[in-house]
Amino acid sequence: MSESFRQLLRALPDFPEVLPDFDPAAAPADPAELFRLWLDEALAAGVPQPNACSLATADEHGRPSSRMLILKDIDADGWHFATSRKSRKGKELTANPHAALNFFWQHQGRQVRVAGDVVELSAEASAADWRARPGADDGENADNENTDWQLYAIRPREIEFWQARHDRRHIRHRYAPR
């Protein structure tokens, strides 16, 4: 790496002047409740696509990959996302059903990381999710059936909320539900 590139990277700004406060002692016992609160705050602050997150998976040899997608729901089954079983991530989830999501809201200096086991949700739920899409892959009409479309849920082993601070004493609040 060239010294000038390294200096450029080090000089980039981190976070805005004003960051939200976060007191872990006042956080709700349910991490989904805290996530919904942070998501509402991100929406109110005008964060674009606050439901977008990075999904990290690994293949059968443990080689990782990640990509962006959107969160579909959070309920008793877990944190929902969907993809084609034929996609790279679908194949990786079949071979190695563990994953992590990472949400990053730079303007608020916040991240949420969710890691755990992944389960396939029902064919009915997957079909309903496919039909609810504004458009289907490959230009197909979303009303058509797509039997390769799968709705998944991460059942968290851990969830970590991270709040940046200008003094670099960032706040981490971790839940380990199971």
Side-chain angles (χ1 to χ4, degrees), residues 92-170:
E92 288 174 347
L93 289 167
T94 297
N96 186 354
H98 310 281
L101 299 173
N102 192 65
F103 298 84
F104 179 56
W105 303 313
Q106 189 270 340
H107 295 292
Q108 295 180 297
R110 287 181 168 170
Q111 293 185 61
V112 179
R113 188 175 51 81
V114 180
D117 302 328
V118 176
V119 295
E120 291 185 357
L121 298 181
S122 71
E124 295 80 14
S126 297
D129 183 74
W130 175 257
R131 287 190 302 273
R133 289 169 52 93
D137 294 338
D138 302 322
E140 296 176 23
N141 182 329
D143 290 333
N144 293 338
E145 288 298 313
N146 181 344
T147 56
D148 293 322
W149 192 251
Q150 181 62 55
L151 188 62
Y152 296 91
I154 293 182
R155 294 191 171 154
R157 277 189 312 278
E158 74 172 309
I159 302 170
E160 182 182 81
F161 292 80
W162 184 89
Q163 175 66 63
R165 292 178 36 136
H166 288 294
D167 63 6
R168 312 295 289 171
R169 299 177 73 133
H170 309 306

Side-chain angles (χ1 to χ4, degrees), residues 30-47:
D30 180 0
E33 185 180 338
L34 181 55
F35 180 83
R36 287 182 182 99
L37 175 67
W38 278 24
L39 182 73
D40 286 344
E41 291 175 5
L43 284 165
V47 172

